[in-house]
Amino acid sequence: MVPDDSEEALIDGLVRSAFQVMGVLTRIGAEHDLSLTQLRVLGIVRDRRPRMSDLAAFLGLDKSTLSGLIDRAERRGLLARTTSPDDKRAVVVLITDAGRDLTQRLYEQMRDALAPATGRLGARQRHELTELLETVLTPPLPSTPRPATQR
Amino acid sequence: MVPDDSEEALIDGLVRSAFQVMGVLTRIGAEHDLSLTQLRVLGIVRDRRPRMSDLAAFLGLDKSTLSGLIDRAERRGLLARTTSPDDKRAVVVLITDAGRDLTQRLYEQMRDALAPATGRLGARQRHELTELLETVLTPPLPSTPRPATQR
DNA sequence: TATTGTTATACTCTATAACTATA
DNA sequence: TATAGTTATAGAGTATAACAATA
C-alpha cells in the first residue's frame, strides 16, 4: 500500500504528540526521581498485583531488569515483594501506601500539566479526539477494569 | 478548574497512545541498536546542522550527555563533527551518507509499523485526527524545555 | 526438565563538576 | 567573565549469561 500524504501527516502528528506527552511524563517523573519505567510500574501496580514475570512481559523488559527496578522502588518504600502462596517460585509485587499516595500525586500533576493542551478543545472535540485515538490505537491487551473513582 | 470525565478520558487516550507509539519507536530503534534519543538525534540532524548546544537545548539534555551520544553515533559512522567557522568554540553536528540512509530506512519502518493502526481510519477521519492533534499539542506545552533564546 | 527470580557483568543514557579553549 | 564542549565520575536502565529454588 502506497502511503499518501494524509497518512504521512497523521503519523507525524502521532509521533510528535507522543514525544510531547512523553516529555511531560519525563519531567514529572524527574521531579520525583522516577524514570518513565518506574512511572509505568507504579501505574500498573496501582490496582494490580502482578508477579515479576507478568510485569516483565507487560513492559517488554527482561526479568533481570525488573529485579533492579523493583529493588530500587522497594528501597524507597514505594513497592514491596511477597512470595506467592500458589507458586513458591513466584514473587508478587505490590504497592505500599506511600507508593499509592505518590502515584495519586503523579496522576494529578499529569492531568494539570496536560490540561492547558486538552483545554484547547471543546467538549465535542475532546470526545471526537478520544474516539479517534481509541480507534487508531486499539490495544490488543485486555485492559483492567478501573473502578469508577469518585473525586 | 475541575476536570470532567471527558478530559480524563482524553488524557488517558493521549498517554496510552504515546506509550504505544514510543513502543514502536523503541522496537524499531532497538533493531538497529539505536536508543530513542539516538533516533531523535538522527531525525533532527537529518535536515539541519545544529551545534551541540542547540541539540542539547532542543532535547532537554545536558551538554555532556550530548558529547557521549554524538561520540557513539560518530564512532558508528552515522554522524560527524565539524568546527563552526563563525565561532571556534562551537561544534556543528552533521549527518553522514550512511546516517541518512539509515534514517530513511527507519522512517519507512516506522510508517510500516504504524500503518495497520492508521489504516483503520478513512481519509476523512485521518484528516480529522491530524487536525485535532495539531490543535491539542500545538504551541507551548507547559513542560517543553525550550531554550530561552528563541520564541 | 522447565520456569521464576536473582546476581554478575557490561554498555548506554543521564547529570554534576571540573577543565580547556574561545568570545 | 561568560559560553561551548569534553572528560571524569557516578547512578539508573537495560540485556545476556550463569545460577538457585521450585514445579
Side-chain angles (χ1 to χ4, degrees):
Chain A
M1 191 253 268
V2 178
D4 58 30
D5 282 353
S6 84
E7 184 170 21
E8 196 110 344
L10 173 53
I11 288 177
D12 211 67
L14 286 170
V15 170
R16 284 195 303 132
S17 83
F19 271 115
Q20 295 201 39
V21 170
M22 286 328 234
V24 170
L25 297 188
T26 301
R27 176 179 59 70
I28 292 174
E31 285 171 14
H32 298 271
D33 278 301
L34 290 169
S35 71
L36 229 45
T37 308
Q38 298 271 19
L39 229 56
R40 287 185 79 185
V41 170
L42 284 176
I44 293 166
V45 176
R46 190 192 199 184
D47 33 40
R48 252 159 293 204
R49 296 202 166 186
R51 310 189 314 169
M52 296 292 282
S53 54
D54 297 332
L55 271 177
F58 187 79
L59 296 170
L61 297 172
D62 192 88
K63 292 150 193 189
S64 62
T65 300
L66 258 289
S67 286
L69 234 28
I70 304 302
D71 277 353
R72 289 182 286 272
E74 196 175 20
R75 216 176 298 139
R76 290 178 57 179
L78 302 174
L79 300 179
R81 280 173 163 100
T82 326
T83 325
S84 165
D86 308 326
D87 185 338
K88 293 246 176 71
R89 296 171 302 178
V91 169
V92 169
V93 180
L94 39 91
I95 198 165
T96 63
D97 288 343
R100 193 180 304 281
D101 289 350
L102 175 56
T103 306
Q104 183 58 34
R105 283 202 301 281
L106 291 168
Y107 267 85
E108 284 161 10
Q109 278 187 39
M110 206 169 76
R111 206 190 47 216
D112 293 348
L114 289 175
T118 58
R120 262 182 243 120
L121 299 181
R124 177 87 177 66
Q125 290 177 303
R126 274 209 290 262
H127 185 69
E128 183 77 19
L129 177 52
T130 306
E131 293 254 301
L132 286 168
L133 285 175
E134 288 294 337
T135 307
V136 166
L137 294 164
T138 298
L141 283 172
S143 211
T144 299
R146 193 89 57 102
T149 50
Q150 65 295 12
R151 168 125 34 115
Chain B
M1 190 255 265
V2 179
D4 58 31
D5 282 352
S6 84
E7 182 169 26
E8 195 112 342
L10 174 52
I11 288 177
D12 211 67
L14 285 170
V15 170
R16 285 196 303 130
S17 83
F19 271 117
Q20 294 201 35
V21 169
M22 287 326 235
V24 169
L25 297 189
T26 301
R27 178 178 57 71
I28 291 175
E31 285 171 14
H32 297 273
D33 277 302
L34 289 169
S35 71
L36 227 48
T37 308
Q38 298 271 18
L39 229 56
R40 288 185 78 185
V41 170
L42 284 177
I44 293 166
V45 177
R46 191 192 197 185
D47 34 40
R48 251 158 294 201
R49 296 202 167 187
R51 311 191 313 172
M52 296 292 282
S53 53
D54 296 331
L55 272 176
F58 187 79
L59 296 169
L61 297 172
D62 192 89
K63 291 151 194 191
S64 63
T65 300
L66 258 290
S67 286
L69 233 29
I70 304 301
D71 277 352
R72 288 182 287 273
E74 196 175 19
R75 216 177 298 138
R76 290 177 58 179
L78 303 174
L79 300 178
R81 280 174 163 99
T82 324
T83 324
S84 166
D86 307 327
D87 184 338
K88 292 248 176 68
R89 297 171 301 178
V91 169
V92 170
V93 180
L94 38 91
I95 198 165
T96 64
D97 288 344
R100 193 179 302 280
D101 289 350
L102 176 56
T103 306
Q104 183 57 33
R105 284 202 300 281
L106 291 168
Y107 266 85
E108 284 161 10
Q109 279 187 39
M110 209 170 75
R111 208 189 47 215
D112 293 349
L114 290 175
T118 58
R120 263 183 241 116
L121 300 180
R124 178 85 176 66
Q125 290 176 303
R126 275 208 289 262
H127 185 69
E128 183 78 18
L129 177 51
T130 306
E131 294 254 300
L132 287 168
L133 286 175
E134 288 294 334
T135 306
V136 167
L137 294 166
T138 316
L141 260 197
S143 61
T144 306
R146 195 77 63 116
T149 55
Q150 50 196 4
R151 164 102 62 100

